Amino acid sequence: SPKALILAPTRELALQIDHTIQPIARSVGLFTTQIYGGVPQARQVGALKKGVDIIIGTPGRIEDLQSQGKLDLSEIRIVVLDEADHMSELGFLEPMQRILRLVEPDAQKLLFSATLDREVAALVDEFLVEPAVYEVAGEDQDSGTIDHRVLVIDHRDKAEILTSLVDRDGKTLVFARTRAYAEMLAEQFDDAVFAGNRLCFDHTAVVDGGFGKRIQPLGSEHNVAAFGLNDSTVFDERLQAALVEV
């Protein structure tokens, strides 16, 4: 039975967490697996049958497998709630509560949250015993490396302005709200004779693949924060600009 459980709000974040901890776990003989919705559960169930030590996943699928009797949480000794506020916003507060109630009361529980709103406070009050609070100070604006600019424009001018923004030296990451719009932008940039446009709809391809191309239109069904793209592997000196369509 697994000994540690990490809950995350999205599949992308679960994969990113596993990508980070898997090498460390393997070095000490521990095995990890990801459990999330939106895909058939057979492979996930198969991994559980083989035996895993650390589970990283989303509350909905974890609760589904537990209710089916395919996931045993009785021996969990460490639980991590990553982005607890985001999970609450996605409607996972009650699933998180039900999952935590299945874990032994003396299991260690770690909660990470950008805010301590009412729902997150409810988790703290019920499940954390005399918790130690650690706060990370916000980045000093003077020391930041990213300039934030908001352009208020007419819709009819968007294509021309986007083209002018990406027509620069360096590498540019463009966020689009939908896959279809990202594909349209890629065609638009090709028509403008920009070389190396690359469409990407997968978080791991963005983080692991690097920015070998000049322009990277990124379409996602999830919001930017859910992609976990605050990672320094993405937002560093290599990135010339990030454009977000809202």
Side-chain angles (χ1 to χ4, degrees):
S1 296
K3 302 298 187 293
L5 172 65
I6 302 174
L7 296 179
T10 64
R11 176 185 69 175
E12 289 78 17
L13 184 54
L15 290 170
Q16 184 179 353
I17 293 170
D18 187 46
H19 179 79
T20 300
I21 69 172
Q22 187 181 91
I24 303 171
R26 290 288 177 88
S27 70
V28 293
L30 301 178
F31 293 92
T32 70
T33 195
Q34 315 102 31
I35 294 179
Y36 46 78
V39 297
Q41 68 179 38
R43 185 173 180 179
Q44 299 170 358
V45 172
L48 292 173
K49 288 181 178 179
K50 292 179 181 178
V52 296
D53 303 287
I54 304 170
I55 292 175
I56 306 104
T58 53
R61 176 58 62 88
I62 286 175
E63 190 174 37
D64 286 344
L65 294 185
Q66 191 280 327
S67 64
Q68 295 173 32
K70 295 174 180 176
L71 172 58
D72 181 11
L73 301 177
S74 63
E75 295 187 23
I76 293 290
R77 305 306 303 161
I78 300 174
V79 182
V80 179
L81 306 180
D82 195 9
E83 296 193 9
D85 52 342
H86 191 192
M87 285 192 283
S88 297
E89 291 170 359
L90 294 176
F92 288 137
L93 175 61
E94 292 185 359
M96 282 191 289
Q97 291 172 324
R98 289 192 291 266
I99 290 169
L100 287 169
R101 288 167 188 154
L102 295 172
V103 175
E104 289 295 324
D106 60 346
Q108 182 182 16
K109 302 176 183 69
L110 306 173
L111 183 149
F112 297 89
S113 179
T115 61
L116 287 175
D117 55 21
R118 184 176 61 183
E119 293 181 328
V120 175
L123 293 171
V124 173
D125 292 341
E126 181 175 356
F127 299 105
L128 274 63
V129 180
E130 298 182 359
V133 179
Y134 298 90
E135 293 181 299
V136 178
E139 182 182 42
D140 185 349
Q141 187 172 0
D142 293 336
S143 65
T145 60
I146 300 176
D147 291 331
H148 298 268
R149 301 177 185 177
V150 177
L151 304 181
V152 181
I153 61 175
D154 289 332
H155 187 272
R156 64 177 179 271
D157 299 325
K158 182 189 291 187
E160 180 181 352
I161 292 174
L162 275 174
T163 300
S164 67
L165 288 172
V166 300
D167 184 15
R168 62 179 72 192
D169 294 332
K171 298 165 186 177
T172 302
L173 176 62
V174 181
F175 287 102
R177 185 164 52 87
T178 65
R179 175 187 290 260
Y181 187 64
E183 291 172 344
M184 186 186 75
L185 285 178
E187 293 178 0
Q188 172 186 320
F189 296 151
D190 280 333
D191 290 341
V193 199
F194 292 130
N197 292 341
R198 176 187 174 198
L199 271 176
C200 181
F201 301 94
D202 180 15
H203 168 272
T204 55
V206 175
V207 174
D208 296 336
F211 288 90
K213 303 298 183 181
R214 183 177 171 195
I215 304 168
Q216 185 116 347
L218 175 67
S220 170
E221 296 175 358
H222 306 278
N223 62 33
V224 175
F227 248 75
L229 290 185
N230 57 333
D231 193 307
S232 60
T233 57
V234 176
F235 286 115
D236 62 11
E237 65 277 1
R238 293 175 296 166
L239 185 60
Q240 188 68 236
L243 312 177
V244 184
E245 187 219 4
V246 294

